[in-house]
Amino acid sequence: ILVDKSRGDCVHVDFSLLFDKGLDLETPECVPFRLTQNLVDGMGIAGCEGMFVKSCEITLHLLRSNKEALMSVLETFVHDPLLEWTVAARRHGQDNASSRPHIVLEKIRSRLQGVVVGVGAAPSLP
C-alpha cells in the first residue's frame, strides 16, 4: 500500500496480486491486505476504528450500490490480451475464455453480495 503524502490517500500498488492471484503463490496470501501496526499507527489516535472504518463502510456501500457498473468494467478484463491469465492460456494452447477469469468474477460478484469464502474459511456475511 502506498500513501500519497499530499492528500493522505492509501493506494494499492501491487497490481500483480489483484483478483486473488495471491492465493496461487508458493505460500498463499490468505488475507486481502495486511493491516500492520505501522499502518494503524499512521492513522492517528483513533487507529483503524476512526476514519479508516468509516471509509471502508462508505466504499463498500458505493461498490454494492454500483455493482452492475463495476461488474461491467471488470468483465472487460476477461478478454484483455495483456492480462496474465490470457497470456498463460495462449501459452498452453487454451482458449482465451478460460475458466479462471470467470471464477474470479463470480467471487467478486459474491463478495459484493456479502458472501466471502476464503482459504479454509466458512462463508460469511459482512
Side-chain angles (χ1 to χ4, degrees), residues 39-96:
L39 284 171
V40 173
D41 288 346
M43 293 177 192
I45 194 163
C48 62
E49 296 301 322
M51 288 304 298
F52 178 73
V53 167
K54 190 64 178 170
S55 297
C56 290
E57 290 170 353
I58 291 169
T59 300
L60 183 58
H61 173 74
L62 289 170
L63 289 171
R64 285 181 173 170
S65 62
N66 295 290
K67 179 174 58 174
E68 296 306 319
L70 176 63
M71 292 309 299
S72 177
V73 170
L74 292 177
E75 285 169 2
T76 63
F77 286 106
V78 171
H79 306 289
D80 187 339
L82 299 177
L83 281 180
E84 188 173 308
W85 58 50
T86 55
V87 172
R90 274 194 309 239
R91 216 179 302 138
H92 293 95
Q94 299 170 349
D95 183 15
N96 278 352

Side-chain angles (χ1 to χ4, degrees), residues 18-34:
L18 289 176
F19 304 121
D20 286 339
K21 285 175 54 179
L23 297 174
D24 297 333
L25 297 173
E26 186 175 325
T27 303
E29 186 63 57
C30 300
V31 294
F33 72 97
R34 297 196 180 274

